[in-house]
Amino acid sequence: MVKEAIKTAEIHNSYDKVQREAEHIANLIKNSKYCIAITGAGISTAAGIGDYRGIRGKWTERDKDKKQETKGKSKQVTLNFQRLRPTYTHEAIVKLMDNGDLKHVISQNVDGLHRLSGLEEGQISELHGNTFIEKCEKCKKRYMRNFGCGGKATNVPVIMCKQCRINHRTGRVCNDKRCIMVFFLQKCRGYLMNTIINFGDYLEEDVLRNAIHHAGQADLVIALGSTLQVYPANCLVEMGKRPTRLVICNRQSTSFDAVCCKMEEDERSMLGSRVFGNCDKLMSHIMRHMLSEEELQDWEARREERLVTYDLNRKL
């Protein structure tokens, strides 16, 4: 029990510590030529989604059930992803991207909040898929929806995935028009499938390849809301330029914490930063160093306008 408590213990740095680290991180970002972010479920907890490795995390509770032989007895809560809205961290990432301070986002999340917040397809590699994106299994065309694209459809031929043993088909078909002869177009009509990566599924090769490409160019990696336990996302944090400059913010220890605390050659400051606490709090302090006071006030004041846009892009 003690070992389990240590594994899931949540730590919060003091207000002063977070302030100091935020200024240091902002300077790292300003001096970076190719900064990327790696995000996990922890950035979405403020939006109402549960994390995975926290005290009450999904995998923590699952492991408890297994050890106590109570599998299936835990209360199951169905989360309505369509009601979730981007957090301060999601919006800060978009602002940093728009300003050229951030080059790419690699996400382990499937909640669709990064794309809803304004990131374009080429700006993010969603390693584990997106609840709101489905793709054609024939021509590979992708469709962004304003509703969740669940699988397990029975109104089309059911095919169980060889890896996860789940039917990925959503019940819809591809309407993309393809030229099969000169002056003659025909709809693809391939079956659409969700893009969620379940246990046992392989990651999409092009998505992983894109993530590796950006990770290899990175001279600063900011990991937000992840314990960095899941492969291959955890392999990407040290794939970039040397020396490794890594920033981690979450509420639990990771196996990469020591990397964050390595010192510069002059021994005056750390190469990276390690902050224990909520991502929104850290990002709010970072943005105060990244934006002028006037720009910050204007951007934060437009939150209500952005919420209206989010609502318009989700079917309730």
Side-chain angles (χ1 to χ4, degrees):
M1 290 179 65
V2 172
K3 289 181 179 179
E4 286 300 314
I6 292 173
K7 270 172 53 178
T8 60
E10 294 187 350
I11 308 167
H12 291 265
N13 288 141
S14 67
Y15 179 80
D16 288 342
K17 166 76 170 177
V18 174
Q19 277 192 313
R20 290 195 304 271
E21 292 303 315
E23 183 176 7
H24 175 53
I25 295 167
N27 287 330
L28 290 175
I29 296 173
K30 291 175 183 178
N31 292 322
S32 169
K33 293 182 180 179
Y34 209 94
C35 175
I36 69 169
I38 296 179
T39 63
I43 72 165
S44 297
T45 52
I49 191 171
D51 60 15
Y52 288 85
R53 301 290 180 182
I55 295 175
R56 303 295 178 193
K58 182 175 180 179
W59 304 148
T60 303
E61 293 296 323
R62 184 199 61 181
D63 292 342
K64 286 180 182 178
D65 287 345
K66 285 183 177 180
K67 290 182 179 181
Q68 297 170 10
E69 296 184 350
T70 57
K71 186 177 180 180
K73 293 183 180 180
S74 295
K75 183 178 179 181
Q76 297 295 316
V77 178
T78 301
L79 181 65
N80 186 348
F81 284 101
Q82 290 173 215
R83 295 190 177 278
L84 300 181
R85 296 295 178 265
T87 65
Y88 189 101
T89 299
H90 288 98
E91 294 189 335
I93 286 173
V94 174
K95 185 64 174 176
L96 292 174
M97 186 77 75
D98 290 344
N99 288 354
D101 297 308
L102 191 64
K103 304 304 182 185
H104 197 72
V105 175
I106 299 170
S107 181
Q108 299 168 268
N109 299 337
V110 301
D111 52 40
L113 292 177
H114 276 305
R115 294 294 303 276
L116 181 61
S117 66
L119 288 185
E120 300 295 333
E121 184 176 6
Q123 296 176 322
I124 183 170
S125 297
E126 295 179 292
L127 295 181
H128 298 164
N130 186 323
T131 300
F132 296 91
I133 294 178
E134 55 187 344
K135 66 178 181 180
C136 176
E137 60 185 29
K138 182 179 178 182
C139 72
K140 309 306 178 184
K141 179 179 173 63
R142 302 171 84 87
Y143 295 84
M144 172 67 78
R145 305 299 192 186
N146 62 358
F147 53 84
C149 304
K152 305 179 182 179
T154 57
N155 62 318
V156 296
V158 173
I159 294 184
M160 308 305 289
C161 174
K162 293 180 180 180
Q163 280 72 48
C164 69
R165 307 305 302 166
I166 293 175
N167 176 26
H168 287 282
R169 287 180 173 175
T170 64
R172 289 173 287 277
V173 295
C174 180
N175 291 318
D176 191 35
K177 292 183 178 180
R178 300 284 165 154
C179 178
I180 59 173
M181 293 178 61
V182 179
F183 305 120
F184 186 71
L185 297 176
Q186 182 175 345
K187 289 183 179 179
C188 172
R189 306 302 291 175
Y191 294 114
L192 298 184
M193 56 190 293
N194 66 39
T195 57
I196 302 303
I197 304 298
N198 297 303
F199 280 116
D201 284 335
Y202 300 129
L203 300 190
E204 292 188 66
E205 289 186 10
D206 55 339
V207 175
L208 179 58
R209 190 182 305 113
N210 196 46
I212 291 173
H213 167 73
H214 289 285
Q217 297 185 74
D219 59 4
L220 175 63
V221 177
I222 301 178
L224 299 168
S226 175
T227 54
L228 298 174
Q229 293 186 41
V230 179
Y231 174 86
N234 58 359
C235 294
L236 302 175
V237 298
E238 295 185 282
M239 193 173 285
K241 308 298 182 182
R242 294 290 186 269
T244 299
R245 298 183 185 275
L246 176 62
V247 174
I248 298 178
C249 177
N250 73 345
R251 295 178 293 189
Q252 293 175 282
S253 298
T254 80
S255 58
F256 294 90
D257 290 352
V259 178
C260 301
C261 302
K262 289 183 178 180
M263 302 299 291
E264 296 276 7
E265 288 185 1
D266 60 11
E267 298 292 326
R268 292 182 180 180
S269 62
M270 290 192 299
L271 288 168
S273 175
R274 183 62 176 99
V275 179
F276 290 96
N278 296 325
C279 295
D280 281 358
K281 291 182 179 179
L282 174 64
M283 292 305 298
S284 67
H285 288 297
I286 290 175
M287 297 306 284
R288 280 157 176 72
H289 295 285
M290 296 301 300
L291 305 177
S292 68
E293 185 176 349
E294 182 179 353
E295 186 179 11
L296 178 68
Q297 290 178 353
D298 179 68
W299 173 67
E300 290 185 338
R302 293 180 179 275
R303 164 74 174 175
E304 293 301 318
E305 295 179 20
R306 293 191 290 270
L307 285 172
V308 172
T309 302
Y310 303 151
D311 289 342
L312 293 174
N313 289 326
R314 282 290 182 265
K315 181 179 180 181
L316 295 176

